[in-house]
Amino acid sequence: MAGFLGREDHNMLRDYITANDHLQYANLAEGMVAVNVTHSNLPSNYSDIRMDLHMTIASVKEKLRKHFGTPVEHQRLVYKVDGRVAAEMNDDNRMLGFYSVESGQEIHVIDTDPFSLSRGGGLTDVSLVE
């Protein structure tokens, strides 16, 4: 069928598209990282949120509050490498760099608010709308 790529053409196209993937974070300023952020109650992920390694964890939580709406006092941050927990970021006075965070890795926000609007699909499940 016209319009479908053969296996060889598919591989050439894939190689062309992914050729510079290793340069994805090459233009970040010194001391900056681009991390992926997930949330315990929300299905969406935020990719490549830029953060300064000199930010305190309290500042990171404030920045994430603006993305997810979870109040700072109800955030528990978990640093993940390759999907596995590397550290609990539980000291608000430590800097992000203390945890050796690198670009492309994940920070997972656990919403501890028992009355969170996002709990149980409150912000994402349209079947809950009357």
Side-chain angles (χ1 to χ4, degrees):
M1 293 181 102
F4 285 99
L5 296 176
R7 186 74 178 148
E8 186 176 323
D9 290 335
H10 178 276
N11 289 339
M12 285 176 44
L13 180 59
R14 183 199 62 223
D15 292 345
Y16 174 77
I17 291 171
T18 61
N20 290 324
D21 279 1
H22 66 285
L23 300 174
Q24 180 177 0
Y25 304 114
N27 293 324
L28 286 175
E30 183 73 28
M32 294 293 288
V33 291
V35 295
N36 301 318
V37 183
T38 57
H39 191 279
S40 61
N41 296 342
L42 300 171
S44 60
N45 300 330
Y46 285 85
S47 297
D48 293 339
I49 294 181
R50 285 165 170 60
M51 296 190 189
D52 188 324
L53 291 170
H54 297 97
M55 295 172 72
T56 63
I57 296 304
S59 298
V60 170
K61 288 179 177 180
E62 180 58 31
K63 182 171 186 151
L64 296 177
R65 179 192 64 78
K66 294 174 184 174
H67 284 279
F68 295 109
T70 302
V72 170
E73 62 273 13
H74 290 292
Q75 290 182 37
R76 205 171 96 226
L77 302 184
V78 177
Y79 172 49
K80 293 184 176 185
V81 178
D82 296 327
R84 296 187 315 198
V85 174
E88 294 261 347
M89 301 172 132
N90 52 13
D91 186 344
D92 286 348
N93 297 312
R94 292 235 188 243
M95 286 190 247
L96 185 61
F98 172 81
Y99 296 98
S100 302
V101 174
E102 295 180 11
S103 290
Q105 295 175 339
E106 177 184 348
I107 295 176
H108 181 67
V109 179
I110 300 173
D111 187 336
T112 62
D113 184 358
F115 304 107
S116 174
L117 290 175
S118 64
R119 189 172 300 280
L123 297 177
T124 57
D125 186 354
V126 295
S127 70
L128 299 175
V129 178
E130 293 182 17

